[in-house]
Amino acid sequence: MSESTIRKLRIEDLDNGFLTSLDSLRKASDIDKNKAKEIFKKIDSNPDYTIAVAEIEGKIVGSTTLLIEQKFIHQGGLVGHIEDVVVDKNFQGQKIGEKIMKYLLEIAKNQGCYKTILDCTDDVKPFYEKLGFKQVANELRFDHI
C-alpha cells in the first residue's frame, strides 16, 4: 500500500484520474476536455475555492472541495462548505478521505472560518462524526432541473 500525498488540484490532474474519481459521485469523466479546463481555470482563479486531491504513484485517487463563504453575520465571518468528498473504491479504507478532510479543515481554519459545514447521507455520518462534525440541522433541497 503506497502513501498518499494530499495537495491542491492541478490542471494536469484532469487527465490523471481526477475526473474518473468523481464518477463515484456522478459521471464526470465524459465532460468535454476544453470545458473541464475552463472550469478548472475559473475555480483556480478564485481564492475562496480549493479542490484538494489525494495522489498515489502519480494518479489521483480522491478529492474534496472547499468553498469559503463571506457572511454579514458574525461580524463578516467566514464559513467553509465542503462538497464532493470522494475516494476511488479501490483505495477506500486507507484513511485517504480522512487525510483530505483534515487538509481542507486546516485551510478553512487558516483562512479564518468560524465553522465548516457539509451535507451527507446517513450511511457516511459516522465517518464525519469521527472527524469532529456534529449533526445540527437537516438538509432540504430544491431541484431546479
Side-chain angles (χ1 to χ4, degrees):
M1 173 166 57
S2 296
E3 186 66 25
S4 61
T5 301
I6 310 300
R7 59 172 175 76
K8 289 184 179 181
L9 179 71
R10 299 182 198 133
I11 197 160
E12 59 267 21
D13 296 329
L14 298 176
D15 298 317
N16 198 27
F18 170 68
L19 295 171
T20 305
S21 73
L22 290 176
D23 285 345
S24 294
L25 295 173
R26 184 169 296 241
K27 187 74 167 163
S29 59
D30 61 353
I31 190 171
D32 178 78
K33 297 298 179 205
N34 290 325
K35 179 162 179 122
K37 288 177 183 172
E38 283 176 35
I39 293 167
F40 172 84
K41 288 175 184 169
K42 184 175 181 180
I43 289 171
D44 195 49
S45 70
N46 184 342
D48 295 328
Y49 209 131
T50 303
I51 298 177
V53 296
E55 179 184 25
I56 294 180
E57 296 177 358
K59 183 167 175 53
I60 303 306
V61 298
S63 64
T64 304
T65 300
L66 170 69
L67 183 61
I68 297 177
E69 174 192 13
Q70 179 87 55
K71 297 286 201 176
F72 284 99
I73 60 174
H74 290 275
Q75 301 298 311
L78 302 173
V79 175
H81 296 266
I82 290 183
E83 290 278 338
D84 303 335
V85 179
V86 66
V87 174
D88 182 302
K89 290 184 186 341
N90 298 318
F91 292 89
Q92 291 178 0
Q94 298 179 31
K95 302 213 179 278
I96 293 170
E98 182 178 323
K99 285 175 71 175
I100 297 172
M101 289 293 297
K102 287 180 177 179
Y103 177 87
L104 285 183
L105 288 170
E106 190 65 23
I107 289 174
K109 179 182 173 186
N110 291 340
Q111 292 291 323
C113 291
Y114 68 90
K115 71 177 179 180
T116 299
I117 59 176
L118 58 78
D119 296 324
C120 71
T121 55
D122 286 344
D123 60 319
V124 292
K125 239 174 71 174
F127 168 75
Y128 296 109
E129 289 171 339
K130 259 191 345 191
L131 294 171
F133 284 84
K134 298 171 197 68
Q135 183 172 354
V136 295
N138 298 313
E139 174 198 9
L140 299 176
R141 175 174 149 168
F142 182 91
D143 289 329
H144 295 276
I145 299 175

